[in-house]
Amino acid sequence: MTDNRTLARRPAGRQGTRAPHARDLLAWYDRHRRALPWRALPGEHADPYRVWLSEIMLQQTTVKAVGPYFAKFLALWPDVGVLAASPVEEVMKAWAGLGYYSRARNLHACAKAVVADHGGLFPASLEDLRALPGIGDYTAAAIASIAFGIAAPVVDGNVERVVTRLNLMETPLPAAKPAIRARVAELLDSARPGDFAQATMDLGATICTPKRPACALCPWTGACRAEAEGRQEEFPVKAARKARDTRYGAAFVVVSADGKLLVRTRPDKGLLGGMTEVPGSDWSAGFDPEGAEPPIEARFRRLAGTVTHVFTHFPLELTVSRADVRAGTRPPAGMRWIPLSEVAGEAFPTLMRKVIAHAMGDGDR
DNA sequence: TACTCGTGGAC
DNA sequence: TGTCCAAGAGT
Protein backbone atom coordinates (compact mmCIF):
# COMPACT_ATOMS: atom_id res chain seq x y z
CA MET A 1 0.00 0.00 0.00
CA THR A 2 2.09 2.84 1.36
CA ASP A 3 5.87 2.83 1.64
CA ASN A 4 7.71 3.53 4.85
CA ARG A 5 8.83 7.01 3.91
CA THR A 6 5.24 8.16 3.46
CA LEU A 7 4.30 6.67 6.82
CA ALA A 8 7.19 8.48 8.42
CA ARG A 9 6.06 11.85 7.15
CA ARG A 10 2.32 11.52 7.69
CA PRO A 11 0.32 9.96 10.49
CA ALA A 12 -1.02 6.57 9.49
CA GLY A 13 -4.57 6.78 8.20
CA ARG A 14 -4.50 10.43 7.30
CA GLN A 15 -2.74 10.54 3.95
CA GLY A 16 -3.77 13.49 1.83
CA THR A 17 -5.51 15.45 4.59
CA ARG A 18 -4.56 17.77 7.37
CA ALA A 19 -5.74 17.13 10.92
CA PRO A 20 -9.14 18.45 12.02
CA HIS A 21 -9.17 20.82 15.00
CA ALA A 22 -11.94 21.74 17.40
CA ARG A 23 -11.08 25.43 17.04
CA ASP A 24 -12.04 25.38 13.36
CA LEU A 25 -15.39 23.80 14.16
CA LEU A 26 -16.07 26.19 17.05
CA ALA A 27 -15.24 29.22 14.93
CA TRP A 28 -17.80 27.99 12.40
CA TYR A 29 -20.31 27.31 15.18
CA ASP A 30 -19.93 30.82 16.60
CA ARG A 31 -21.10 32.20 13.27
CA HIS A 32 -23.60 29.58 12.11
CA ARG A 33 -25.11 27.98 15.20
CA ARG A 34 -28.82 27.26 14.95
CA ALA A 35 -31.11 29.21 17.26
CA LEU A 36 -33.23 26.53 18.94
CA PRO A 37 -35.83 27.00 21.69
CA TRP A 38 -33.97 24.82 24.19
CA ARG A 39 -30.60 26.44 23.63
CA ALA A 40 -29.12 29.12 25.85
CA LEU A 41 -27.98 32.27 24.14
CA PRO A 42 -24.22 32.64 23.66
CA GLY A 43 -22.65 33.27 27.03
CA GLU A 44 -25.80 32.34 28.90
CA HIS A 45 -26.33 29.43 31.22
CA ALA A 46 -28.20 26.40 29.88
CA ASP A 47 -31.09 25.17 32.03
CA PRO A 48 -30.53 21.45 32.78
CA TYR A 49 -34.29 20.81 32.78
CA ARG A 50 -34.73 22.24 29.30
CA VAL A 51 -31.64 20.48 28.04
CA TRP A 52 -32.89 17.16 29.39
CA LEU A 53 -36.44 17.62 28.12
CA SER A 54 -35.24 18.54 24.64
CA GLU A 55 -32.71 15.71 24.49
CA ILE A 56 -35.36 13.10 25.36
CA MET A 57 -37.74 14.50 22.75
CA LEU A 58 -35.01 14.67 20.12
CA GLN A 59 -34.15 10.99 20.39
CA GLN A 60 -34.76 9.67 16.85
CA THR A 61 -37.02 12.66 16.25
CA THR A 62 -36.57 15.70 14.04
CA VAL A 63 -36.08 19.22 15.37
CA LYS A 64 -39.18 20.30 13.48
CA ALA A 65 -41.39 17.65 15.09
CA VAL A 66 -40.09 18.43 18.58
CA GLY A 67 -40.68 22.18 18.44
CA PRO A 68 -44.38 22.38 19.36
CA TYR A 69 -44.12 19.53 21.89
CA PHE A 70 -41.23 21.23 23.67
CA ALA A 71 -43.25 24.45 23.92
CA LYS A 72 -46.32 22.59 25.18
CA PHE A 73 -44.40 20.65 27.83
CA LEU A 74 -42.64 23.77 29.05
CA ALA A 75 -45.99 25.57 29.38
CA LEU A 76 -47.63 22.64 31.19
CA TRP A 77 -44.63 21.72 33.34
CA PRO A 78 -42.12 24.59 33.69
CA ASP A 79 -39.81 22.64 35.97
CA VAL A 80 -38.96 19.09 36.93
CA GLY A 81 -40.86 19.32 40.22
CA VAL A 82 -44.25 20.01 38.70
CA LEU A 83 -43.63 17.36 36.04
CA ALA A 84 -42.85 14.79 38.72
CA ALA A 85 -46.04 15.74 40.59
CA SER A 86 -48.24 15.31 37.51
CA PRO A 87 -50.08 12.03 36.82
CA VAL A 88 -48.24 9.98 34.21
CA GLU A 89 -51.47 9.79 32.20
CA GLU A 90 -51.31 13.53 31.61
CA VAL A 91 -47.75 13.16 30.34
CA MET A 92 -48.84 10.41 27.91
CA LYS A 93 -51.62 12.65 26.61
CA ALA A 94 -49.24 15.52 26.02
CA TRP A 95 -46.74 13.20 24.31
CA ALA A 96 -49.36 11.64 22.02
CA GLY A 97 -48.30 11.89 18.37
CA LEU A 98 -44.58 12.24 19.03
CA GLY A 99 -43.89 8.49 18.99
CA TYR A 100 -41.66 6.12 20.96
CA TYR A 101 -43.99 6.32 23.94
CA SER A 102 -41.68 4.62 26.40
CA ARG A 103 -39.82 7.92 26.32
CA ALA A 104 -42.80 9.64 27.92
CA ARG A 105 -43.10 7.02 30.65
CA ASN A 106 -39.37 7.19 31.33
CA LEU A 107 -39.48 10.99 31.24
CA HIS A 108 -41.95 10.97 34.09
CA ALA A 109 -40.03 8.28 35.99
CA CYS A 110 -36.86 10.31 35.55
CA ALA A 111 -38.53 13.46 36.88
CA LYS A 112 -39.69 11.57 39.95
CA ALA A 113 -36.19 10.14 40.48
CA VAL A 114 -34.61 13.58 40.21
CA VAL A 115 -36.98 14.86 42.89
CA ALA A 116 -36.71 11.80 45.12
CA ASP A 117 -32.99 11.07 44.82
CA HIS A 118 -31.38 14.37 43.84
CA GLY A 119 -33.36 17.04 45.66
CA GLY A 120 -35.10 18.23 42.50
CA LEU A 121 -31.85 19.14 40.74
CA PHE A 122 -30.36 17.17 37.88
CA PRO A 123 -27.12 15.48 38.96
CA ALA A 124 -24.00 17.04 37.46
CA SER A 125 -22.08 13.87 36.76
CA LEU A 126 -22.04 11.51 33.80
CA GLU A 127 -22.47 8.46 36.01
CA ASP A 128 -25.48 9.78 37.95
CA LEU A 129 -27.18 11.03 34.79
CA ARG A 130 -26.63 7.69 33.05
CA ALA A 131 -28.39 5.90 35.91
CA LEU A 132 -31.66 7.82 35.39
CA PRO A 133 -34.56 6.31 33.40
CA GLY A 134 -34.48 7.09 29.69
CA ILE A 135 -30.95 8.48 29.82
CA GLY A 136 -28.43 6.39 27.90
CA ASP A 137 -24.86 7.02 26.83
CA TYR A 138 -25.71 9.74 24.34
CA THR A 139 -28.16 11.69 26.49
CA ALA A 140 -25.97 11.50 29.61
CA ALA A 141 -23.03 12.92 27.68
CA ALA A 142 -25.19 15.59 26.04
CA ILE A 143 -26.66 16.85 29.33
CA ALA A 144 -23.29 16.64 31.08
CA SER A 145 -21.54 18.69 28.43
CA ILE A 146 -24.28 21.16 27.46
CA ALA A 147 -25.77 21.83 30.89
CA PHE A 148 -22.77 21.25 33.14
CA GLY A 149 -19.70 21.88 31.01
CA ILE A 150 -18.31 18.39 31.52
CA ALA A 151 -15.96 17.18 28.77
CA ALA A 152 -17.76 14.04 27.60
CA PRO A 153 -17.88 12.58 24.08
CA VAL A 154 -21.36 13.20 22.66
CA VAL A 155 -22.08 10.74 19.87
CA ASP A 156 -25.41 10.82 18.07
CA GLY A 157 -26.29 9.96 14.47
CA ASN A 158 -24.92 13.27 13.24
CA VAL A 159 -21.60 12.78 14.96
CA GLU A 160 -21.35 9.21 13.70
CA ARG A 161 -21.73 10.49 10.16
CA VAL A 162 -19.24 13.33 10.61
CA VAL A 163 -16.58 11.21 12.30
CA THR A 164 -16.83 8.15 10.05
CA ARG A 165 -16.41 10.45 7.05
CA LEU A 166 -13.60 12.41 8.63
CA ASN A 167 -11.68 9.21 9.37
CA LEU A 168 -12.89 7.00 6.54
CA MET A 169 -14.12 4.40 9.01
CA GLU A 170 -15.16 1.31 7.09
CA THR A 171 -16.40 -0.68 10.07
CA PRO A 172 -20.22 -0.88 9.96
CA LEU A 173 -22.36 0.57 12.73
CA PRO A 174 -22.98 -0.19 15.52
CA ALA A 175 -19.65 -2.05 15.81
CA ALA A 176 -17.79 1.18 15.02
CA LYS A 177 -19.28 3.05 17.98
CA PRO A 178 -16.41 2.59 20.46
CA ALA A 179 -13.89 3.81 17.89
CA ILE A 180 -16.10 6.79 17.06
CA ARG A 181 -16.46 7.69 20.71
CA ALA A 182 -12.70 7.46 21.20
CA ARG A 183 -12.09 9.71 18.19
CA VAL A 184 -14.58 12.29 19.50
CA ALA A 185 -12.86 12.21 22.89
CA GLU A 186 -9.60 13.11 21.11
CA LEU A 187 -11.19 15.87 19.08
CA LEU A 188 -13.35 17.65 21.63
CA ASP A 189 -12.48 20.98 23.19
CA SER A 190 -12.48 20.57 26.96
CA ALA A 191 -12.79 24.35 27.37
CA ARG A 192 -16.13 24.41 25.50
CA PRO A 193 -17.53 20.88 25.65
CA GLY A 194 -21.17 21.92 25.32
CA ASP A 195 -20.52 24.09 22.30
CA PHE A 196 -18.36 21.39 20.74
CA ALA A 197 -21.14 18.83 21.14
CA GLN A 198 -23.78 21.11 19.66
CA ALA A 199 -21.39 22.19 16.93
CA THR A 200 -20.75 18.63 15.75
CA MET A 201 -24.49 17.98 15.70
CA ASP A 202 -25.22 21.24 13.86
CA LEU A 203 -22.49 20.35 11.37
CA GLY A 204 -24.07 16.97 10.71
CA ALA A 205 -27.56 18.44 10.46
CA THR A 206 -26.76 21.33 8.13
CA ILE A 207 -23.47 20.62 6.28
CA CYS A 208 -22.41 17.00 6.65
CA THR A 209 -25.82 15.69 5.61
CA PRO A 210 -26.59 12.09 4.58
CA LYS A 211 -27.13 13.06 0.95
CA ARG A 212 -25.22 15.71 -1.00
CA PRO A 213 -23.18 17.14 1.89
CA ALA A 214 -22.05 20.75 1.45
CA CYS A 215 -18.34 20.02 1.84
CA ALA A 216 -17.31 23.37 0.36
CA LEU A 217 -18.92 25.09 3.37
CA CYS A 218 -17.50 22.69 5.97
CA PRO A 219 -15.04 24.02 8.57
CA TRP A 220 -13.24 20.69 8.31
CA THR A 221 -12.92 20.68 4.54
CA GLY A 222 -9.46 19.48 3.68
CA ALA A 223 -9.34 17.50 6.92
CA CYS A 224 -11.86 14.90 5.80
CA ARG A 225 -10.63 11.64 4.30
CA ALA A 226 -13.97 10.79 2.73
CA GLU A 227 -14.07 14.14 1.00
CA ALA A 228 -10.52 13.64 -0.21
CA GLU A 229 -11.61 10.41 -1.88
CA GLY A 230 -14.98 11.71 -3.05
CA ARG A 231 -16.74 9.01 -1.03
CA GLN A 232 -18.73 11.17 1.42
CA GLU A 233 -22.07 9.48 0.86
CA GLU A 234 -20.64 6.02 1.52
CA PHE A 235 -20.39 6.77 5.24
CA PRO A 236 -21.40 5.76 7.77
CA VAL A 237 -21.49 2.11 6.72
CA LYS A 238 -24.55 0.37 8.12
CA ALA A 239 -25.78 -3.20 8.02
CA ALA A 240 -28.77 -3.49 5.70
CA ARG A 241 -32.05 -3.71 7.55
CA LYS A 242 -34.32 -6.54 6.60
CA ALA A 243 -37.77 -5.99 5.18
CA ARG A 244 -40.72 -7.02 7.33
CA ASP A 245 -44.06 -8.50 6.37
CA THR A 246 -47.20 -6.38 6.57
CA ARG A 247 -49.36 -7.21 9.55
CA TYR A 248 -53.15 -7.10 9.43
CA GLY A 249 -55.86 -6.59 12.00
CA ALA A 250 -59.32 -5.26 12.73
CA ALA A 251 -60.38 -2.17 14.68
CA PHE A 252 -63.84 -1.52 16.10
CA VAL A 253 -65.26 1.94 16.54
CA VAL A 254 -68.25 1.96 18.85
CA VAL A 255 -70.16 5.23 19.27
CA SER A 256 -73.01 5.74 21.72
CA ALA A 257 -76.11 7.82 21.03
CA ASP A 258 -74.98 10.39 23.58
CA GLY A 259 -71.73 11.05 21.75
CA LYS A 260 -69.20 8.77 23.42
CA LEU A 261 -66.48 6.51 22.06
CA LEU A 262 -65.55 3.07 23.44
CA VAL A 263 -61.83 2.87 24.28
CA ARG A 264 -59.29 1.00 26.36
CA THR A 265 -55.68 1.50 27.48
CA ARG A 266 -52.86 -0.60 26.05
CA PRO A 267 -50.46 -2.35 28.44
CA ASP A 268 -47.61 -0.18 29.70
CA LYS A 269 -44.94 -2.21 27.96
CA GLY A 270 -44.62 -2.99 24.28
CA LEU A 271 -45.91 -1.28 21.17
CA LEU A 272 -47.80 1.97 21.88
CA GLY A 273 -47.45 1.11 25.57
CA GLY A 274 -49.80 2.97 27.88
CA MET A 275 -51.62 4.69 25.06
CA THR A 276 -55.38 4.78 24.44
CA GLU A 277 -56.90 2.74 21.61
CA VAL A 278 -60.24 1.63 20.27
CA PRO A 279 -60.80 -2.11 20.78
CA GLY A 280 -59.51 -4.43 18.10
CA SER A 281 -57.81 -7.70 17.22
CA ASP A 282 -54.17 -8.60 17.55
CA TRP A 283 -52.08 -7.72 14.52
CA SER A 284 -50.37 -10.47 12.56
CA ALA A 285 -49.15 -11.31 9.07
CA GLY A 286 -51.65 -14.14 8.66
CA PHE A 287 -54.67 -12.39 10.20
CA ASP A 288 -58.14 -13.05 8.75
CA PRO A 289 -60.36 -9.95 9.15
CA GLU A 290 -63.50 -12.08 8.94
CA GLY A 291 -62.55 -13.92 12.11
CA ALA A 292 -62.16 -10.85 14.30
CA GLU A 293 -64.27 -10.85 17.44
CA PRO A 294 -66.17 -7.58 18.10
CA PRO A 295 -65.78 -6.16 21.62
CA ILE A 296 -69.50 -5.79 22.24
CA GLU A 297 -72.79 -7.22 21.05
CA ALA A 298 -73.99 -4.77 18.40
CA ARG A 299 -74.71 -4.39 14.71
CA PHE A 300 -71.29 -3.64 13.20
CA ARG A 301 -70.84 -2.54 9.64
CA ARG A 302 -67.50 -3.01 7.96
CA LEU A 303 -66.39 0.30 6.48
CA ALA A 304 -65.03 0.58 2.97
CA GLY A 305 -61.27 0.82 2.64
CA THR A 306 -58.59 0.22 5.25
CA VAL A 307 -56.33 2.24 7.47
CA THR A 308 -52.63 1.80 6.78
CA HIS A 309 -49.76 2.83 9.03
CA VAL A 310 -46.03 2.24 8.90
CA PHE A 311 -44.13 1.55 12.09
CA THR A 312 -40.34 1.43 12.15
CA HIS A 313 -40.26 -2.34 12.02
CA PHE A 314 -43.45 -3.31 10.17
CA PRO A 315 -46.29 -1.97 8.04
CA LEU A 316 -49.84 -2.35 9.35
CA GLU A 317 -53.21 -2.52 7.62
CA LEU A 318 -56.42 -2.39 9.63
CA THR A 319 -60.02 -2.95 8.62
CA VAL A 320 -62.44 -0.71 10.48
CA SER A 321 -65.94 -1.65 11.62
CA ARG A 322 -68.37 0.71 13.30
CA ALA A 323 -71.41 0.21 15.48
CA ASP A 324 -73.77 2.80 16.97
CA VAL A 325 -75.28 1.80 20.29
CA ARG A 326 -77.78 3.29 22.72
CA ALA A 327 -76.82 5.76 25.42
CA GLY A 328 -75.98 4.13 28.72
CA THR A 329 -74.62 0.93 27.25
CA ARG A 330 -72.35 -0.67 29.82
CA PRO A 331 -68.71 -0.86 28.65
CA PRO A 332 -67.12 -4.34 28.54
CA ALA A 333 -64.51 -5.22 31.16
CA GLY A 334 -61.35 -3.18 30.76
CA MET A 335 -63.00 -0.60 28.51
CA ARG A 336 -64.54 2.81 29.05
CA TRP A 337 -66.44 5.56 27.30
CA ILE A 338 -64.92 8.93 26.50
CA PRO A 339 -66.86 11.90 25.09
CA LEU A 340 -66.15 12.53 21.43
CA SER A 341 -65.32 16.09 22.43
CA GLU A 342 -62.36 14.76 24.38
CA VAL A 343 -60.84 12.67 21.59
CA ALA A 344 -58.45 15.48 20.67
CA GLY A 345 -56.90 15.58 24.13
CA GLU A 346 -56.85 11.83 24.70
CA ALA A 347 -53.62 9.77 24.57
CA PHE A 348 -54.29 8.40 21.09
CA PRO A 349 -51.29 7.52 18.96
CA THR A 350 -51.41 8.68 15.37
CA LEU A 351 -52.55 5.27 14.17
CA MET A 352 -55.67 5.49 16.34
CA ARG A 353 -56.45 9.00 15.15
CA LYS A 354 -56.40 7.62 11.61
CA VAL A 355 -58.81 4.83 12.61
CA ILE A 356 -61.21 7.21 14.32
CA ALA A 357 -61.12 9.70 11.45
CA HIS A 358 -61.83 6.86 9.04
CA ALA A 359 -64.86 5.74 11.04
CA MET A 360 -66.22 9.23 11.58
CA GLY A 361 -66.15 10.01 7.88
CA ASP A 362 -63.60 12.76 8.30
CA GLY A 363 -61.75 11.40 5.32
CA ASP A 364 -58.37 9.79 5.54
CA ARG A 365 -56.44 11.95 3.14
C1' DT B 1 -25.69 -8.47 19.67
C1' DA B 2 -29.92 -7.85 17.69
C1' DC B 3 -34.36 -6.62 18.18
C1' DT B 4 -38.20 -3.59 19.67
C1' DC B 5 -40.07 0.80 19.67
C1' DG B 6 -43.51 5.97 16.09
C1' DT B 7 -43.88 9.41 13.16
C1' DG B 8 -43.47 12.51 9.31
C1' DG B 9 -40.60 14.41 5.79
C1' DA B 10 -37.24 14.18 1.93
C1' DC B 11 -35.91 12.12 -2.21
C1' DT C 1 -43.66 4.69 -4.42
C1' DG C 2 -40.52 2.75 -1.68
C1' DT C 3 -36.61 3.75 1.07
C1' DC C 4 -34.11 6.08 4.32
C1' DC C 5 -33.73 8.55 8.12
C1' DA C 6 -34.01 12.00 12.70
C1' DA C 7 -29.96 14.84 19.08
C1' DG C 8 -31.30 6.46 21.05
C1' DA C 9 -32.83 3.59 25.05
C1' DG C 10 -34.20 -0.74 26.92
C1' DT C 11 -33.92 -5.50 26.89
Side-chain angles (χ1 to χ4, degrees):
Chain A
M1 289 279 200
T2 311
D3 66 48
N4 289 332
R5 277 184 313 181
T6 302
L7 286 175
R9 281 187 283 110
R10 290 172 176 157
R14 198 159 296 140
Q15 290 81 0
T17 60
R18 61 187 170 80
H21 285 292
R23 60 174 177 270
D24 299 318
L25 177 67
L26 288 169
W28 170 84
Y29 181 71
D30 288 337
R31 284 182 294 144
H32 300 292
R33 54 182 287 159
R34 292 178 291 175
L36 300 172
W38 42 87
R39 275 190 181 168
L41 295 174
E44 285 195 351
H45 205 251
D47 174 8
Y49 174 69
R50 297 186 185 209
V51 173
W52 164 72
L53 179 60
S54 68
E55 290 300 342
I56 301 299
M57 289 185 168
L58 287 162
Q59 289 166 6
Q60 296 291 286
T61 308
T62 58
V63 165
K64 181 181 178 183
V66 165
Y69 284 87
F70 181 79
K72 174 165 66 174
F73 269 68
L74 215 54
L76 287 170
W77 301 293
D79 63 62
V80 70
V82 294
L83 178 58
S86 175
V88 67
E89 290 78 12
E90 294 304 310
V91 179
M92 306 307 289
K93 286 181 183 177
W95 196 277
L98 197 55
Y100 285 142
Y101 297 102
S102 65
R103 290 185 297 173
R105 183 167 303 281
N106 284 331
L107 184 85
H108 188 253
C110 182
K112 291 209 291 188
V114 166
V115 169
D117 304 336
H118 300 282
L121 297 175
F122 279 85
S125 82
L126 207 52
E127 181 184 6
D128 288 347
L129 288 166
R130 182 65 179 81
L132 289 166
I135 296 183
D137 288 337
Y138 161 77
T139 305
I143 297 172
S145 58
I146 297 170
F148 297 115
I150 295 170
V154 176
V155 181
D156 74 330
N158 289 305
V159 178
E160 287 172 353
R161 187 167 57 254
V162 170
V163 171
T164 54
R165 286 174 176 176
L166 212 51
N167 297 281
L168 210 71
M169 300 173 79
E170 307 272 7
T171 305
L173 286 170
K177 279 203 163 198
I180 294 171
R181 184 175 290 104
R183 187 72 185 102
V184 171
E186 294 174 352
L187 275 171
L188 69 79
D189 183 336
S190 56
R192 299 177 61 187
D195 284 345
F196 180 87
Q198 294 174 95
T200 49
M201 293 190 281
D202 274 17
L203 186 69
T206 64
I207 302 290
C208 195
T209 49
K211 304 294 181 188
R212 300 178 60 81
C215 299
L217 303 178
C218 180
W220 278 336
T221 187
C224 177
R225 294 184 58 198
E227 180 200 17
E229 297 196 4
R231 298 173 56 198
Q232 299 90 316
E233 293 190 17
E234 294 179 28
F235 300 90
V237 180
K238 293 182 180 179
R241 69 176 61 173
K242 51 183 169 185
R244 301 294 291 267
D245 291 336
T246 298
R247 298 182 195 177
Y248 302 87
F252 298 97
V253 174
V254 185
V255 179
S256 72
D258 54 343
K260 293 178 180 174
L261 176 68
L262 187 65
V263 302
R264 64 189 180 190
T265 299
R266 294 177 63 87
D268 284 346
K269 295 188 183 262
L271 188 65
L272 306 176
M275 302 300 283
T276 308
E277 67 174 1
V278 300
S281 69
D282 290 338
W283 306 332
S284 64
F287 177 75
D288 173 17
E290 308 304 326
E293 198 64 33
I296 195 170
E297 188 125 357
R299 186 184 302 274
F300 280 90
R301 50 195 176 84
R302 162 86 170 272
L303 304 180
T306 58
V307 168
T308 60
H309 192 73
V310 181
F311 294 106
T312 303
H313 48 304
F314 68 91
L316 177 67
E317 183 174 330
L318 294 181
T319 63
V320 181
S321 298
R322 171 169 171 169
D324 293 86
V325 302
R326 61 178 172 76
T329 301
R330 178 177 295 277
M335 302 188 199
R336 65 185 185 276
W337 296 102
I338 64 167
L340 288 171
S341 61
E342 291 178 12
V343 164
E346 187 54 54
F348 286 118
T350 296
L351 165 64
M352 285 299 143
R353 295 191 188 277
K354 289 183 184 178
V355 169
I356 294 164
H358 190 77
M360 299 313 226
D362 294 351
D364 198 18
R365 292 178 293 280

